[in-house]
Amino acid sequence: MEINNKSLQFFLLCSLTLLSVATCHPVQTSPFGVGFYRRTCPPAEDIIRNAVNKFISKNPGLGAGLLRLHFHDCFVRGCDASVLLDTLPGGPAAEKDHPANNPSLRGFEIIDAAKAILERVCPRTVSCADILAFAARDSVYKLGNIWYEVPAGRRDGNTSLANDIPGNLPPPFFTATQNAAIFKSKGFSADEMVTLSGAHSIGISHCSSFASRLYPPTVDPTLNTAYAKTLKRICPPQTANGTGSVDPTVNQDPLTPNRLDNLYYVDVISNKGLLTSDQTMLTTKSTAKAVLDNARYGSTWAKKFAAAMVKMGKVGVLTGKKGQIRLNCHFRN
């Protein structure tokens, strides 16, 4: 057998460890994959999961916040943690300060808590983008008992611009057809769009995101009458045009608001989809069938959701020498 220099170096390295009776494994060279931190920071995933569980145990709504953070990150510039960057004084507004994100995005403090520990245990090793991807997965498991392995090795981007939001993040008043077009541009099918919309099984929405469906001149006749009355008690007319001094919130799923499950699709079938983007999934043949199937087969939806989350976490990732490992998720190094 021919032995090249790399093989010889590896053989010598393994030989030196025999006294400790350790099993020798080659150092991971893949720039992106499951178990990326197995050698460089073994406790990384446990540290992130512990932070997620600690915060969500006190406030389950933060789980939905982390899931939304991950989505709003990946669909703009790719999964590069650009959504975590702060706007710099005198500079252009960052993604987090766009009206689509501010003040509704939540969960930043969880990412910060995990990052602080990781920088003490494994300095300059775990990216903010990977922390966000792991935290979203751990939220899904905590609130829905849905598990999936997360490929890692993402690096953090250096750019975050609020002007990148339009055209990349679908607003709540988009129809399912408009939503599907944005998802298609990111490489997702209409069925995957419906599947990922199941994330609306948890979390809250501000009245301003849907109140136009309740009041003239755009009253939505498809909205369940009893549900509309309930929403009107919470959301005054001024929230529909943005003139109110307060903007109340409503659970996105009235059935199981703190449980990630397929009952969200039952809401939609019952004309209790909170957002236009939710309810209009019944208006096209393909998306309507996906809604019905997801409502009927919960375990199948859960598997599809896990697969779609893995796929979303691969959108536009930076690996290798691209980007950086931020020391503070709010700022470039």
Side-chain angles (χ1 to χ4, degrees), residues 68 71-72 98-102 104 165-179 182-183 193 197 200 204-213 220 223 239-240 247 252 264 273-281:
R68 188 163 178 258
F71 168 66
H72 280 224
H98 187 278
N101 291 331
N102 187 8
S104 58
I165 299 293
N168 285 307
L169 289 181
F173 53 80
F174 261 26
T175 65
T177 300
Q178 292 171 308
N179 259 6
I182 288 184
F183 273 77
M193 181 270 288
S197 294
H200 289 178
I204 57 177
S205 182
H206 286 268
C207 289
S208 58
S209 296
F210 59 83
S212 61
R213 301 179 67 200
D220 189 343
L223 192 60
T239 58
D247 194 1
Q252 293 193 123
Y264 156 80
L274 185 62
L275 307 177
T276 298
S277 57
D278 297 321
Q279 196 58 55
T280 55
M281 289 192 296

Side-chain angles (χ1 to χ4, degrees), residues 77-146:
R77 300 184 65 88
C79 307
D80 66 347
S82 56
V83 73
L84 303 179
L85 285 170
D86 286 355
T87 298
L88 297 177
E95 292 172 32
K96 64 165 58 173
D97 288 323
H98 187 278
N101 291 331
N102 187 8
S104 58
L105 282 187
R106 299 182 293 165
F108 295 102
E109 66 271 35
I110 305 176
I111 305 301
D112 292 342
K115 180 63 171 176
I117 298 174
L118 287 166
E119 283 302 316
R120 292 197 299 269
V121 176
C122 311
R124 302 173 181 268
T125 302
V126 184
S127 69
C128 299
D130 277 345
I131 295 173
L132 187 49
F134 284 127
R137 186 273 309 277
D138 295 334
S139 298
V140 168
Y141 184 69
K142 177 75 171 176
L143 298 178
N145 201 35
I146 300 171

Side-chain angles (χ1 to χ4, degrees), residues 182-298:
I182 288 184
F183 273 77
K184 183 178 180 180
S185 72
K186 307 297 179 182
F188 292 85
S189 67
D191 182 78
E192 288 171 323
M193 181 270 288
V194 175
T195 296
L196 286 171
S197 294
H200 289 178
S201 169
I202 52 177
I204 57 177
S205 182
H206 286 268
C207 289
S208 58
S209 296
F210 59 83
S212 61
R213 301 179 67 200
L214 304 174
Y215 301 104
T218 54
V219 176
D220 189 343
T222 67
L223 192 60
N224 178 281
T225 303
Y227 186 46
K229 290 180 179 179
T230 298
L231 295 176
K232 284 182 176 180
R233 286 197 294 269
I234 302 170
C235 305
Q238 55 266 36
T239 58
N241 53 31
T243 59
S245 58
V246 295
D247 194 1
T249 59
V250 174
N251 289 325
Q252 293 193 123
D253 176 10
L255 296 175
T256 52
N258 292 323
R259 183 70 182 171
L260 181 63
D261 56 29
N262 68 321
L263 292 185
Y264 156 80
Y265 299 100
V266 176
D267 293 334
V268 174
I269 294 170
S270 303
N271 288 332
K272 294 180 181 179
L274 185 62
L275 307 177
T276 298
S277 57
D278 297 321
Q279 196 58 55
T280 55
M281 289 192 296
L282 292 181
T283 61
T284 68
K285 185 176 180 180
S286 61
T287 54
K289 182 181 185 302
V291 169
L292 294 172
D293 287 345
N294 290 339
R296 186 176 295 118
Y297 307 112

